[in-house]
Amino acid sequence: MRGQSRCGSPDPQPVISRGHVSQLVWVKDEFRRITAANLERTSLTKLDFYTPNLLTVFEMKGGAAGTKTRCRLDSLGQEGRRDAVIRCLIHFLGESCEELIKDYQDLSKGRIKDSFVDLVMKIIVLASAAAEEGAAPDSVIIVIEGTEVLDGCRNLSDACLLLMGLIYSLNLSSPPKLRSTFEVFQKVLLELDVLRFSPKVHSLERKLLM
Protein backbone atom coordinates (compact mmCIF):
# COMPACT_ATOMS: atom_id res chain seq x y z
CA MET A 1 0.00 0.00 0.00
CA ARG A 2 2.82 2.38 0.88
CA GLY A 3 6.52 1.79 1.50
CA GLN A 4 8.07 -0.85 3.72
CA SER A 5 7.12 -2.44 7.00
CA ARG A 6 9.62 -4.65 8.78
CA CYS A 7 12.07 -4.10 5.94
CA GLY A 8 13.14 -0.50 6.25
CA SER A 9 12.06 -0.08 9.93
CA PRO A 10 9.89 3.05 9.80
CA ASP A 11 10.53 5.54 12.59
CA PRO A 12 7.41 6.06 14.75
CA GLN A 13 9.14 8.73 16.82
CA PRO A 14 7.24 11.65 15.20
CA VAL A 15 4.10 10.15 16.74
CA ILE A 16 5.43 8.73 20.02
CA SER A 17 7.17 11.93 21.09
CA ARG A 18 3.88 13.89 21.15
CA GLY A 19 1.06 14.06 23.68
CA HIS A 20 -2.13 12.12 22.94
CA VAL A 21 -4.10 15.00 21.43
CA SER A 22 -1.07 16.17 19.47
CA GLN A 23 -0.55 12.61 18.18
CA LEU A 24 -4.06 12.48 16.75
CA VAL A 25 -3.73 15.91 15.16
CA TRP A 26 -0.37 15.00 13.62
CA VAL A 27 -1.63 11.74 12.11
CA LYS A 28 -4.75 13.36 10.63
CA ASP A 29 -2.88 16.43 9.37
CA GLU A 30 -0.08 14.35 7.83
CA PHE A 31 -2.60 12.06 6.15
CA ARG A 32 -4.41 15.08 4.75
CA ARG A 33 -1.15 16.59 3.52
CA ILE A 34 -0.31 13.39 1.64
CA THR A 35 -3.75 12.52 0.27
CA ALA A 36 -5.80 15.76 0.48
CA ALA A 37 -8.51 13.66 2.19
CA ASN A 38 -10.08 14.06 5.62
CA LEU A 39 -9.22 10.81 7.40
CA GLU A 40 -11.98 10.68 9.98
CA ARG A 41 -14.86 12.29 8.13
CA THR A 42 -14.31 10.36 4.89
CA SER A 43 -13.85 6.89 6.36
CA LEU A 44 -16.60 7.00 8.98
CA THR A 45 -19.09 8.63 6.62
CA LYS A 46 -18.46 5.91 4.03
CA LEU A 47 -18.58 3.13 6.63
CA ASP A 48 -21.95 4.35 7.88
CA PHE A 49 -23.21 4.87 4.33
CA TYR A 50 -22.28 1.34 3.25
CA THR A 51 -23.32 -0.41 6.48
CA PRO A 52 -26.91 -1.28 5.41
CA ASN A 53 -25.65 -2.89 2.19
CA LEU A 54 -22.77 -4.56 4.02
CA LEU A 55 -25.25 -6.14 6.42
CA THR A 56 -27.27 -7.36 3.44
CA VAL A 57 -24.14 -8.88 1.88
CA PHE A 58 -23.21 -10.58 5.17
CA GLU A 59 -26.76 -11.90 5.51
CA MET A 60 -26.80 -13.31 1.98
CA LYS A 61 -23.51 -15.13 2.52
CA GLY A 62 -24.31 -16.37 6.00
CA GLY A 63 -27.85 -17.67 5.49
CA ALA A 64 -29.65 -18.12 8.82
CA ALA A 65 -26.48 -17.26 10.73
CA GLY A 66 -26.17 -14.09 8.64
CA THR A 67 -29.74 -13.09 9.45
CA LYS A 68 -29.08 -13.60 13.16
CA THR A 69 -25.89 -11.52 12.88
CA ARG A 70 -27.79 -8.70 11.18
CA CYS A 71 -30.43 -8.64 13.91
CA ARG A 72 -27.70 -8.51 16.56
CA LEU A 73 -25.85 -5.68 14.80
CA ASP A 74 -29.06 -3.71 14.30
CA SER A 75 -29.55 -3.70 18.08
CA LEU A 76 -26.18 -2.02 18.77
CA GLY A 77 -25.41 1.67 19.03
CA GLN A 78 -23.51 3.42 16.26
CA GLU A 79 -19.97 2.90 17.57
CA GLY A 80 -20.59 -0.70 18.63
CA ARG A 81 -22.15 -1.42 15.23
CA ARG A 82 -19.17 0.10 13.41
CA ASP A 83 -16.76 -2.10 15.34
CA ALA A 84 -18.84 -5.23 14.73
CA VAL A 85 -19.19 -4.44 11.01
CA ILE A 86 -15.41 -4.17 10.67
CA ARG A 87 -14.94 -7.59 12.29
CA CYS A 88 -17.64 -9.08 10.04
CA LEU A 89 -16.06 -7.45 6.99
CA ILE A 90 -12.68 -9.05 7.69
CA HIS A 91 -14.35 -12.45 8.07
CA PHE A 92 -16.45 -11.94 4.92
CA LEU A 93 -13.27 -11.24 2.93
CA GLY A 94 -11.86 -14.59 4.04
CA GLU A 95 -9.21 -13.06 6.30
CA SER A 96 -8.59 -13.42 10.02
CA CYS A 97 -9.49 -10.80 12.62
CA GLU A 98 -6.67 -12.17 14.75
CA GLU A 99 -4.16 -10.92 12.16
CA LEU A 100 -5.23 -7.34 12.95
CA ILE A 101 -6.95 -7.37 16.35
CA LYS A 102 -5.83 -8.86 19.65
CA ASP A 103 -8.54 -8.92 22.31
CA TYR A 104 -7.86 -9.07 26.03
CA GLN A 105 -10.41 -9.26 28.81
CA ASP A 106 -9.88 -8.03 32.38
CA LEU A 107 -6.19 -7.31 31.84
CA SER A 108 -4.38 -3.99 32.22
CA LYS A 109 -1.95 -2.66 29.64
CA GLY A 110 0.87 -3.05 32.13
CA ARG A 111 0.33 -6.81 32.31
CA ILE A 112 0.51 -7.36 28.54
CA LYS A 113 2.97 -4.68 27.43
CA ASP A 114 5.93 -7.08 27.28
CA SER A 115 4.11 -9.05 24.55
CA PHE A 116 4.11 -6.01 22.22
CA VAL A 117 7.72 -6.64 21.19
CA ASP A 118 6.72 -9.49 18.85
CA LEU A 119 3.93 -7.59 17.09
CA VAL A 120 4.49 -6.06 13.64
CA MET A 121 1.16 -4.27 13.26
CA LYS A 122 -1.69 -4.89 15.67
CA ILE A 123 -4.68 -3.23 17.30
CA ILE A 124 -4.94 -4.19 20.99
CA VAL A 125 -8.44 -4.08 22.48
CA LEU A 126 -8.76 -4.20 26.28
CA ALA A 127 -12.26 -4.78 27.61
CA SER A 128 -14.11 -6.05 30.64
CA ALA A 129 -15.52 -9.56 30.44
CA ALA A 130 -18.67 -8.26 32.13
CA ALA A 131 -19.23 -5.49 29.57
CA GLU A 132 -22.40 -5.63 27.49
CA GLU A 133 -22.09 -6.35 23.78
CA GLY A 134 -21.36 -3.13 21.90
CA ALA A 135 -20.03 -1.34 24.98
CA ALA A 136 -16.97 0.85 24.50
CA PRO A 137 -13.69 -0.97 25.29
CA ASP A 138 -11.56 0.12 28.23
CA SER A 139 -8.61 0.90 25.97
CA VAL A 140 -7.59 0.48 22.33
CA ILE A 141 -3.90 0.62 21.41
CA ILE A 142 -2.05 0.59 18.09
CA VAL A 143 1.27 -1.26 18.09
CA ILE A 144 3.69 -1.06 15.16
CA GLU A 145 7.05 -2.85 14.99
CA GLY A 146 6.83 -3.82 18.67
CA THR A 147 6.23 -0.21 19.75
CA GLU A 148 3.08 1.28 21.24
CA VAL A 149 2.42 4.12 18.81
CA LEU A 150 -1.07 5.29 19.78
CA ASP A 151 -3.07 4.70 22.95
CA GLY A 152 -6.52 5.93 23.89
CA CYS A 153 -8.30 5.25 20.60
CA ARG A 154 -12.02 5.45 21.31
CA ASN A 155 -12.93 2.12 19.73
CA LEU A 156 -11.91 -0.36 17.03
CA SER A 157 -13.22 1.66 14.08
CA ASP A 158 -11.36 4.73 15.36
CA ALA A 159 -8.18 2.67 15.64
CA CYS A 160 -8.58 1.29 12.10
CA LEU A 161 -8.85 4.74 10.55
CA LEU A 162 -5.91 6.01 12.61
CA LEU A 163 -3.89 2.97 11.55
CA MET A 164 -4.60 3.89 7.93
CA GLY A 165 -3.38 7.39 8.76
CA LEU A 166 -0.19 5.95 10.24
CA ILE A 167 0.39 3.71 7.21
CA TYR A 168 0.37 6.76 4.97
CA SER A 169 2.15 9.10 7.38
CA LEU A 170 4.99 6.68 8.23
CA ASN A 171 5.17 5.10 4.75
CA LEU A 172 4.27 1.58 5.89
CA SER A 173 3.04 -1.50 4.09
CA SER A 174 -0.23 -3.05 5.20
CA PRO A 175 -0.11 -6.64 6.56
CA PRO A 176 0.10 -9.09 3.63
CA LYS A 177 -2.40 -11.49 5.25
CA LEU A 178 -4.96 -8.66 5.36
CA ARG A 179 -4.52 -7.50 1.79
CA SER A 180 -8.25 -7.41 0.96
CA THR A 181 -9.25 -5.79 4.25
CA PHE A 182 -6.82 -2.90 3.82
CA GLU A 183 -7.78 -2.56 0.18
CA VAL A 184 -11.38 -2.00 1.30
CA PHE A 185 -10.21 0.53 3.90
CA GLN A 186 -8.14 2.34 1.28
CA LYS A 187 -10.26 2.19 -1.87
CA VAL A 188 -13.83 1.84 -0.64
CA LEU A 189 -13.86 3.76 2.65
CA LEU A 190 -11.19 6.38 1.87
CA GLU A 191 -11.64 6.43 -1.93
CA LEU A 192 -7.89 6.44 -2.61
CA ASP A 193 -6.11 4.74 -5.53
CA VAL A 194 -9.45 3.72 -7.03
CA LEU A 195 -8.27 3.04 -10.58
CA ARG A 196 -7.33 -0.57 -9.83
CA PHE A 197 -9.26 -3.07 -7.70
CA SER A 198 -8.59 -6.70 -6.98
CA PRO A 199 -11.42 -8.93 -8.27
CA LYS A 200 -12.61 -9.71 -4.72
CA VAL A 201 -12.84 -6.09 -3.61
CA HIS A 202 -14.29 -4.98 -6.95
CA SER A 203 -17.04 -7.56 -6.55
CA LEU A 204 -17.81 -6.29 -3.06
CA GLU A 205 -17.82 -2.66 -4.21
CA ARG A 206 -20.32 -3.48 -6.97
CA LYS A 207 -22.64 -5.13 -4.44
CA LEU A 208 -22.40 -2.11 -2.15
CA LEU A 209 -23.39 0.24 -4.96
CA MET A 210 -26.41 -1.78 -6.09
Side-chain angles (χ1 to χ4, degrees), residues 22-188:
S22 181
Q23 287 177 329
L24 300 182
V25 171
W26 184 87
V27 172
K28 293 174 185 179
D29 285 353
E30 190 67 8
F31 179 84
R32 190 168 204 163
R33 182 187 68 79
I34 294 167
T35 67
N38 184 296
L39 177 62
E40 187 169 25
R41 185 169 65 237
T42 302
S43 59
L44 293 182
T45 297
K46 285 297 180 182
L47 179 60
D48 291 341
F49 175 76
Y50 285 129
T51 287
N53 283 357
L54 279 169
L55 295 181
T56 298
V57 170
F58 300 157
E59 186 177 0
M60 290 173 61
K61 183 175 182 180
T67 302
K68 184 177 180 181
T69 297
R70 177 167 189 154
C71 292
R72 179 171 58 82
L73 295 185
D74 283 342
S75 70
L76 300 178
Q78 184 182 52
E79 292 190 353
R81 185 165 57 248
R82 285 171 176 167
D83 289 4
V85 165
I86 286 174
R87 291 178 187 264
C88 289
L89 173 65
I90 297 171
H91 178 72
F92 173 82
L93 293 168
E95 296 176 340
S96 171
C97 286
E98 287 74 18
E99 291 292 336
L100 177 63
I101 307 158
K102 195 165 183 63
D103 292 291
Y104 290 96
Q105 291 187 333
D106 296 335
L107 288 175
S108 66
K109 183 174 71 173
R111 292 182 61 186
I112 63 170
K113 199 165 185 179
D114 288 347
S115 67
F116 291 178
V117 68
D118 297 321
L119 304 179
V120 177
M121 184 176 287
K122 196 78 72 175
I123 295 172
I124 309 296
V125 179
L126 305 179
S128 168
E132 294 184 2
E133 184 176 19
D138 297 333
S139 181
V140 183
I141 304 161
I142 297 175
V143 176
I144 295 174
E145 301 288 350
T147 300
E148 178 186 325
V149 177
L150 275 179
D151 189 5
C153 303
R154 293 171 300 180
N155 45 55
L156 175 61
S157 52
D158 189 45
C160 286
L161 71 88
L162 288 168
L163 181 55
M164 285 299 298
L166 288 164
I167 285 172
Y168 274 83
S169 300
L170 299 176
N171 197 31
L172 306 174
S173 293
S174 56
K177 292 183 179 180
L178 293 164
R179 191 179 309 277
S180 295
T181 297
F182 277 85
E183 185 180 352
V184 172
F185 289 169
Q186 178 189 35
K187 299 181 179 182
V188 178

